[in-house]
Amino acid sequence: MNPAGRQVAGEVCNDCLVGFGVERIRQDFPALQVRVHGKPLVYLDNAATSQKPQVVIDRITRYYLSENSNIHRGVHFLSDLATQAYESTRDRVRQFLNAAHDREIIFTRGTTEGINLVAHSFGRSRVRAGDEIVISAMEHHSNIVPWQILCEEKGATLRVIPVNDAGELLLEEYERLLCDRTRLVAVTYVSNALGTVNPIKPMIATAHRRGIPVLVDGAQAAPHLAVDVQELDCDFYAFSGHKLCGPTGIGILYGKADLLESMPPYQGGGDMISAVTFEKTIYNSLPYKFEAGTPHIAGVIGLGAALEYVQRIGLPRIAAYEADLLAYGTELLSAIPGLRIIGTAREKASVLSFVLDGIHAHDVGTILDHEGIAIRAGHHCAMPVMKRFGVSATARASLAFYNTREELEALAKGLHKVIEVFA
Amino acid sequence: MSDLRDLYQQVILDHYKRPRNFRKLDEANRKAEGHNPLCGDEITVYLHLDGDVITDISFEGAGCAISKASASMMTAALKGRTRGEAETLFEMFHEMVTGHRDGTADPGGLGKLEVFCGVSEFPVRVKCASLAWHTLRAALEGRNDPVSTE
């Protein structure tokens, strides 16, 4: 039982063995009980952000109610308590990613800040004029723009791995792009706009054969796929807490210790130093070297509760349940006249991106909203991939483990309503 | 609860499916581009100004039903009007779609453009309805930078 006296889905494992128990999981999420325009909320915008379970909300409340203090500097009881809660989350994240050391786990504001950290610190110290950075055609703007800024500053070039019509990376082209001038490969694990799961393990191996480090954007993968950074052998892995049932404003950058050791600090300030004089500053050791200033302590502690919650249900079970939902959703949407799914890769996770003949995604979004159905309409912060598929926008339904087949049926019914309005 | 049909009125759907003045205007002496980064709407407004009078107006682009219908009906409403009249109509239109219309407004002043009054119930769609008008203003002012709703 959690402090609010409610049962948490992961606590009763007998039930897990019988079935996924989605109805009880749904009870853990207060926001799923909301009614929209007089109808039950059907929340299918999980790729933008997930809802939060009561245990996460309660944990953040408890921190502010009875543990609030600054970390790493207090000699007093509360500071010690807050520091323990903060640092134990670092260890939980290490376990979540199966990283080798706690000091390889850096708390950031989110995936975007993690990527920017690498671009500033690793990028500025390693990339020179004439060098190249390789990204893919399906990147989110957060894994394009930091590299563009870096390339512009250094006189380096951005190279882009193309995709086929299904939304899969062309791996032969990828191999051809790698050369002596390539300083980094930065690629997404799961595409937020298409749902494609990229074969990052062999891609990392390919880059490593040439001695090129690889950053993986794990923002969309983290809520759906169990990750083992040692097995993948990625050099950096960035993700956000808020897509994984945690609070906004907190994220993780994993980096291999030897790389992080060799990189200069990203931001200067308190906590990232060992000693400061006006002549010289000695930087703190990892991971604190990259955590300047008072961090988002409540966010870190809330993320810890979110990871604990998700781990209790288990990512392998989540992935299996979501695969079934995705297959069912794909079948339902494919039967709708005039609907075209954008992103039909063989390996996909939790994203149904689509266009309707003669009806703009924004109108689809407004009419579905009227039915209580929340989807995303637009370019999904991935304008280049939209252009690749010849559309300016798509409607996107994105799934989480608390969604149901009935909700997908509601989506299909809502889409028939959209067509009816425009008939 | 606001009704969907207040937003998607038949007149609006008709202008979306069969937009009027939807072409490039070869003899234009003013033009401006506008875009709404949020939803990817893009529009180009062409004007032929003779002194102060809009003698011809057209548009091109892609967008949602609200933005395309708004552009179509704007061009239909402005042909033959003066610059000053266009500015006044924009102000009245903007007050209507943002729900800021006070009691003193001339109830008949907007004519057919009144069909967009339902937009005020859908705040996220206000940018869609006003994109064409912002772009028109840029064209009238002879600005070259693309207009953005952000």
Side-chain angles (χ1 to χ4, degrees), chain B residues 15-146:
Chain B
H15 275 265
Y16 170 59
K17 291 174 189 169
R18 297 188 304 113
R20 322 296 198 266
N21 307 306
F22 187 62
R23 62 194 162 86
K24 187 178 177 203
L25 193 65
D26 289 329
E27 61 277 21
N29 51 16
R30 295 284 175 91
K31 87 169 191 183
E33 288 169 22
H35 66 111
N36 179 350
L38 184 71
C39 50
D41 291 354
E42 287 174 348
I43 185 176
T44 306
V45 171
Y46 301 92
L47 288 180
H48 186 267
L49 266 185
D50 187 357
D52 235 14
V53 179
I54 300 169
T55 54
D56 208 354
I57 176 169
S58 73
F59 79 104
E60 285 183 314
C64 65
I66 306 304
S67 77
K68 206 164 185 179
S70 175
S72 171
M73 293 187 71
M74 176 187 82
T75 58
L78 292 184
K79 212 175 278 191
R81 302 272 197 138
T82 66
R83 247 181 117 122
E85 287 169 338
E87 283 288 346
T88 307
L89 272 179
F90 182 18
E91 274 165 37
M92 290 167 69
F93 183 83
H94 199 256
E95 281 169 9
M96 173 180 72
V97 296
T98 52
H100 291 122
R101 191 149 65 169
D102 60 24
T104 61
D106 172 7
L110 277 167
K112 289 177 180 169
L113 297 173
E114 280 286 337
V115 293
F116 289 99
C117 68
V119 172
S120 65
E121 297 293 321
F122 296 82
V124 297
R125 306 309 296 275
V126 169
K127 286 175 177 176
C128 309
S130 47
L131 176 63
W133 289 88
H134 283 291
T135 312
L136 165 83
R137 182 179 275 172
L140 284 172
E141 290 171 359
R143 280 190 271 146
N144 291 325
D145 296 344

Side-chain angles (χ1 to χ4, degrees), chain A residues 111-120 122-123 133-136 139-140 142-144 146-147 161 174 183-189 198 200 203-204 207-208 212-219 229 232-239 252-256 259-260 263:
Chain A
T111 309
T112 299
E113 190 179 48
I115 296 170
N116 275 278
L117 188 159
V118 176
H120 275 254
F122 175 88
I133 307 278
V134 171
I135 63 169
S136 90
E139 298 308 315
H140 186 281
S142 61
N143 201 25
I144 301 174
W147 307 118
I161 313 162
Y174 165 61
R183 289 290 159 265
L184 183 80
V185 172
V187 68
T188 191
Y189 197 167
N198 289 320
I200 56 163
M203 288 176 74
I204 291 164
H208 282 180
I212 302 163
V214 180
L215 174 143
V216 177
D217 172 353
V229 290
L232 288 175
D233 200 25
C234 56
D235 300 276
F236 300 103
Y237 190 93
F239 71 96
I252 299 298
L253 173 70
Y254 157 82
K256 282 182 181 167
L259 267 172
L260 292 175
M263 286 158 50

Side-chain angles (χ1 to χ4, degrees), chain A residues 42-52 111-112 140 142 188 190-196 217-224 239-246 248 322 326 348-353 374-382 386 394-403:
Chain A
V42 174
Y43 188 76
L44 297 173
D45 195 18
N46 295 288
T49 197
S50 71
Q51 295 301 342
K52 319 304 173 200
T111 309
T112 299
H140 186 281
S142 61
T188 191
V190 175
S191 156
N192 72 310
L194 305 172
T196 310
D217 172 353
Q220 289 301 329
H224 308 293
F239 71 96
S240 301
H242 72 93
K243 295 188 202 283
L244 191 60
C245 300
T248 54
E322 289 179 351
L326 182 66
K348 271 187 75 171
S350 294
V351 168
L352 285 161
S353 215
I375 60 145
R376 173 93 185 258
H379 53 58
H380 318 299
C381 296
M386 296 286 108
T394 72
R396 180 189 69 186
S398 52
L399 313 173
F401 57 89
Y402 45 66
N403 287 128

Side-chain angles (χ1 to χ4, degrees), chain A residues 358 362-363 366 370 379 421-422, chain B residues 2 8 16-17 37 39 65 125:
Chain A
H362 217 168
D363 296 311
T366 293
H370 235 72
H379 53 58
V421 169
F422 274 78
Chain B
S2 48
Y8 294 105
Y16 170 59
K17 291 174 189 169
C39 50
R125 306 309 296 275

Side-chain angles (χ1 to χ4, degrees), chain A residues 55-114:
Chain A
V55 283
V56 170
I57 300 164
D58 288 345
R59 186 64 192 89
I60 295 168
T61 306
R62 181 150 63 91
Y63 165 72
Y64 279 126
L65 282 177
S66 59
E67 299 167 21
N68 177 57
S69 191
N70 212 330
I71 54 167
H72 297 152
R73 48 231 322 130
V75 291
H76 57 82
F77 177 78
L78 283 188
S79 177
D80 190 38
L81 206 60
T83 304
Q84 279 181 37
Y86 183 88
E87 290 302 332
S88 69
T89 299
R90 198 187 305 276
D91 188 56
R92 185 171 285 285
V93 175
R94 184 195 60 73
Q95 291 170 38
F96 183 76
L97 295 175
N98 193 35
H101 312 286
D102 278 7
R103 63 199 167 96
E104 297 180 315
I105 307 300
I106 296 159
F107 291 117
T108 63
R109 277 193 298 139
T111 309
T112 299
E113 190 179 48

